[in-house]
Amino acid sequence: MLDTNVKNQLTTYLQNLKRPVELVVSVDDSPKAQELKSLANDIAGLSNLVSLTESAGERTPSMTVTSKDTHSQITFAGLPMGHEFTSLVLALLHSGGHPIKLDQDVIAQIRDLPGQYHFETYVSLSCQTCPEVVQALNMMSAINPNITNVMIDGALFQEEVDQRNIMAVPSVYLNGEPFSVGGISVVEILNKLDVNAASRKAEQLNQKEAFDVLVVGGGPAGASAAIYAARKGLRTGIVADKFGGQVAETVGIENFISVKATEGPKLVANLEAHVHEYDVDIMDNQRALSLKSGELFELELESGALLRSKTILLATGARWREMNVPGEQEYRGKGVAYCPHCDGPLFKGKRVAVIGGGNSGIEAAIDLANIVEHVTVLEFDSKLRADEVLQRKAASMGNIDIITQAMTTEVTGDGTRVNGLNYTDRTTGESHHVELAGIFVQIGLVPNAEWLKGTIEQTNRGEIIVDAKGETSLPGVFAAGDVTNSAYKQIIIAMGSGATASLGAFDYLIRHSEESSEKAA
């Protein structure tokens, strides 16, 4: 099952086991079950601390990683390969006593949770976001034996997916009831389980001393800015909803100079590791609410916390633009999706649409065409905006239709899931209906800057306007990355602008300090 190179790497990892781990597999004669059995045999053969038994489970094929000492249980229903192979390796290590990389107060909070929590996490093996959620719940399971998690490959257990009407991944169920859809971190999970957690965290944040530079946002621009500020010896903090931003959802990255090819989650992990090399106070799972200026800037968070800083660096990035048509919100996660790589496998053999004819839209159509029965691309303009090479590739595929001059007017459904969409031909004014199972929206990005309206000068598209040093219309407040009016939205450009804005903030602090000294004299 595993090639020699992977076996060698896994052998090295398994040397970190400190206590016995048992693999319990439930298999039958199906090809996937036999692959899973082969995988389990390979793993068991690499360490004397790993044993293997067979037993009928709730789902077949499945493999449960069990600690004989703590009795923790982490289950993989399906074959945990692709992006989920890392989840399996971490489950083995954590069940075997290898330290879990979480703050000690978070570990204590997980360990002290009362009650029983049985999580079921539906994934697709091509999903970039799913491993983050699976690994978060697996870590909690390894810490507290009253918590269990089952990763379920939706493509392999299609009957369950249909029964529960799952049309987006990751979809998490807790004790049989819907819990969350999309990315969610350990802290966010704890906030939902422990109702007092958010208020306790807010109180801790309120006690923090003022920063020299407070970065708002944890994407490439924010990470770059924090590193540059910390290297200048400034008291630096990062406050972010989640570390990585949009990059975490990016599949292939081939234009990051000096790195021939990488993937979003890997780049995010490297960014976070690099930031951790410096004395940066990282405050994640926090959203900014408002910004006030005075002797110190005051950043109010949705949690109620208030952070203070001499300068502010805004790097809140952007999010997927929505169609804003009737039915879109009603059927979000029920056929309306924004990540073809994550949710595409759930529409295998079905008819779908892609809204948008730019690079992201045509790339999505090409990827989906290899999974679904048929793809209809609807472009508002009179021609596609995607690169010519992508247009040629789409044209060469027999199951992609492209409609230009198409204005989507409504998402239709049966009350439970999407069954089509309506659009108007902008040339003739005629209305049309297309029967579909899914709609993938790929029409660009919206800057995450609404909360700053009236505080800082913005373009008519909501982008923060910055000068050559990254400074905004409010002295002492800087901005970088996709949230700004930068001409191009690229990872490498965001990183560069983060460095520029950070150096601009450093220069501002020096000059501001000199001015204060002169006034005092």
Side-chain angles (χ1 to χ4, degrees), residues 323-331 336 408-412 420 422:
M323 297 182 290
N324 293 317
V325 300
E328 180 178 16
Q329 295 304 320
E330 179 183 354
Y331 292 104
V336 175
T408 305
T409 57
E410 183 181 11
V411 173
T412 64
N422 296 330

Side-chain angles (χ1 to χ4, degrees), residues 324-354:
N324 293 317
V325 300
E328 180 178 16
Q329 295 304 320
E330 179 183 354
Y331 292 104
R332 190 183 183 113
K334 300 176 182 177
V336 175
Y338 302 85
C339 180
H341 305 290
C342 300
D343 300 332
L346 298 176
F347 295 87
K348 183 177 181 180
K350 300 177 181 178
R351 301 178 71 86
V352 303
V354 172

